[in-house]
Amino acid sequence: MKELLIKVLTIKDIPLRPVLLFWFVSGFILLLPEQWLSHLHVNKLLQSYGKWFGILFIASTAMLIIKIIFKVIRKITNIHIKSLAVAYLKNIDREEQSVLREFYITNQNTIEMPTDDPVVAGLLNNGILYRVSANGLMNITGMLFPLAISEFIQPYLTKEILDIPKEIDDAKHQALINNRPPFVERISAHRDLRYGRW
């Protein structure tokens, strides 16, 4: 049973184009009227290899059905994951707000953050953030990876959710700077030390 399940799961990795080609050719030869096959000079091919065309048609049909099922399941799962992420976003705490505000403060789409930080890890696990690259950098602040806000989350990421005032003066801007995540200062200090900017 386990081996059968593994085989079924590997079908989804088979490219769609060759499966469609086998399905179309075998179905074409099997289902066309005999008169048409004679005109195309493939009637003898069907007589000699009809059984194999039948097997190929059944196998490719089964593969197509499995691939369609996997695609539907994947789509439903993605919709469910996105809905959970949006619901989570509406109830983020102050620490999570401060992490997400970094993208607003720095005006960057991608920022290096320590993924072993509990707050950052929580945003990653809930689909709010995602890793832009699999390559990270280890330093005194933790394991740094380039992170970005998930594209489907961005329309929901309002100033209200991030606790950013609609109108910002110098005092309010300074208040945002004073409430940045603790790792920001550590990363900045490490870079100053690394590049001799003391």
Side-chain angles (χ1 to χ4, degrees):
M1 183 65 184
K2 184 178 178 182
E3 292 178 358
L4 178 62
L5 182 60
I6 292 172
K7 288 179 181 178
V8 171
L9 290 174
T10 55
I11 288 175
K12 68 182 179 66
D13 298 322
I14 298 174
L16 180 61
R17 286 184 180 180
V19 176
L20 277 172
L21 178 63
F22 292 143
W23 178 79
F24 180 79
V25 170
S26 58
F28 185 83
I29 292 175
L30 287 170
L31 302 177
L32 269 184
E34 189 174 345
Q35 186 178 0
W36 288 26
L37 294 175
S38 297
H39 285 308
L40 294 170
H41 304 287
V42 292
N43 55 328
K44 290 184 179 179
L45 189 66
L46 179 61
Q47 291 170 6
S48 301
Y49 303 101
K51 180 177 73 173
W52 298 109
F53 279 114
I55 292 172
L56 183 60
F57 182 71
I58 292 171
S60 57
T61 301
M63 286 183 184
L64 283 174
I65 292 172
I66 291 172
K67 289 181 81 66
I68 290 170
I69 291 172
F70 271 109
K71 191 169 184 178
V72 171
I73 291 173
R74 191 182 302 115
K75 193 172 182 78
I76 293 172
T77 302
N78 286 339
I79 292 172
H80 181 62
I81 290 172
K82 288 178 181 179
S83 64
L84 289 176
V86 171
Y88 183 88
L89 180 67
K90 294 177 180 178
N91 295 288
I92 57 175
D93 58 34
R94 291 188 179 277
E95 290 183 335
E96 290 168 323
Q97 285 175 333
S98 70
V99 169
L100 294 175
R101 274 199 304 265
E102 281 302 295
F103 294 92
Y104 173 83
I105 291 172
T106 61
N107 195 28
Q108 291 179 294
N109 293 324
T110 304
I111 300 176
E112 282 189 336
M113 292 184 177
T115 54
D116 47 0
D117 179 271
V119 180
V120 175
L123 292 170
L124 278 168
N125 291 336
N126 285 282
I128 310 299
L129 298 177
Y130 72 96
R131 288 185 186 179
V132 176
S133 171
N135 298 321
L137 173 67
M138 188 69 183
N139 67 15
I140 58 173
T141 61
M143 195 68 187
L144 297 180
F145 282 92
L147 306 181
I149 296 170
S150 298
E151 189 175 347
F152 69 90
I153 282 292
Q154 292 179 12
Y156 302 95
L157 206 61
T158 62
K159 286 187 175 182
E160 184 180 357
I161 291 228
L162 294 178
D163 196 24
I164 298 174
K166 291 182 180 178
E167 308 246 343
I168 298 182
D169 54 24
D170 290 342
K172 290 177 181 177
H173 182 265
Q174 190 58 46
L176 292 178
I177 298 299
N178 293 339
N179 284 283
R180 299 178 77 178
F183 61 76
V184 171
E185 188 175 345
R186 296 198 302 269
I187 292 174
S188 179
H190 175 77
R191 284 175 178 163
D192 288 340
L193 180 63
R194 183 179 180 185
Y195 298 109
R197 294 194 293 238
W198 289 95

